Amino acid sequence: WNATTRQITHPPPGLKTNVKVIVEYDDNLFNMKYHDGTNVSLADIVFSFILTFDRADPASPLYDRSYVPAFKAFRSTFGGFRIVSEDPLVIEYYTNVTYLDAEWIAADAATAFYPWSSINYAAMPWHMIAIGMLAEMDGKAAFSSDKAQSLNVEWLNYIAGPSLQILYDELE
């Protein structure tokens, strides 16, 4: 993801990884529902990775310096992914994470794309996270406590407190 051009990019030239995992997801993946009744979608998966890269890029309005160390750790092993098929969902995942048991490597790759076990926010569809993104971009709240404190804004909380009104206003 390139925060400046707002486009999904290819991995850098010459990038090599040790492992390629091909995951074919359950046919019912996109029939699974979130707590708000909406179905899991491919957008949830792609959006999660966009947010992952956006928060670590100084060119993004979502940049958060406190997030950068976690991103660097992730980026040191993540090579990229390619959506091979949407129905059924098949994803090639390129990584440098290795274990003695291949099953662990496959499990890590497979769960990297489940929206509820993603790098950013668990159990939330893209459209809920996007409301928080709008609040952060408008300077009203922030995803991390560090950024909220440095900007003197609310730390986003999706279930209680003052940020609920902020999220509601962004939704409106």
Side-chain angles (χ1 to χ4, degrees):
W1 175 253
N2 182 313
T4 303
T5 63
R6 315 286 306 153
Q7 294 180 346
I8 293 174
T9 63
H10 293 283
L15 179 70
K16 302 220 184 283
T17 58
N18 296 322
V19 180
K20 172 183 167 183
V21 179
I22 302 172
V23 181
E24 182 173 331
Y25 291 86
D26 187 287
D27 289 339
N28 289 319
L29 176 64
F30 296 132
N31 294 323
M32 298 176 85
K33 299 210 179 284
Y34 286 107
H35 65 283
D36 68 351
T38 59
N39 286 16
V40 171
S41 72
L42 188 57
D44 298 317
I45 294 166
V46 174
F47 184 83
S48 171
F49 275 86
I50 289 171
L51 185 58
T52 298
F53 281 80
D54 238 14
R55 293 185 67 216
D57 189 332
S60 169
L62 298 173
Y63 174 71
D64 185 339
R65 69 172 191 243
S66 68
Y67 174 73
V68 173
F71 176 79
K72 284 183 177 179
F74 159 75
R75 195 66 184 93
S76 72
T77 61
F78 175 74
F81 71 93
R82 184 171 78 92
I83 299 169
V84 177
S85 167
E86 293 180 31
D87 187 20
L89 180 61
V90 178
I91 296 178
E92 293 175 351
Y93 187 76
Y94 298 88
T95 183
N96 284 316
V97 172
T98 56
Y99 300 100
L100 291 177
D101 293 320
E103 292 82 2
W104 282 88
I105 300 169
D108 271 5
T111 58
F113 291 97
Y114 270 63
W116 50 89
S117 64
S118 69
I119 297 159
N120 291 295
Y121 295 93
M124 289 202 311
W126 75 267
H127 56 270
M128 289 189 64
I129 299 169
I131 298 167
M133 286 177 61
L134 293 172
E136 186 162 313
M137 290 166 61
D138 288 343
K140 298 176 185 174
F143 283 116
S144 76
S145 62
D146 182 73
K147 187 171 181 179
Q149 193 172 36
S150 70
L151 296 176
N152 197 29
V153 297
E154 284 298 319
W155 181 14
L156 279 171
N157 182 334
Y158 279 77
I159 59 171
S163 64
L164 289 181
Q165 185 62 51
I166 295 167
L167 292 168
Y168 177 79
D169 292 345
E170 291 295 340
L171 180 61
E172 287 297 305

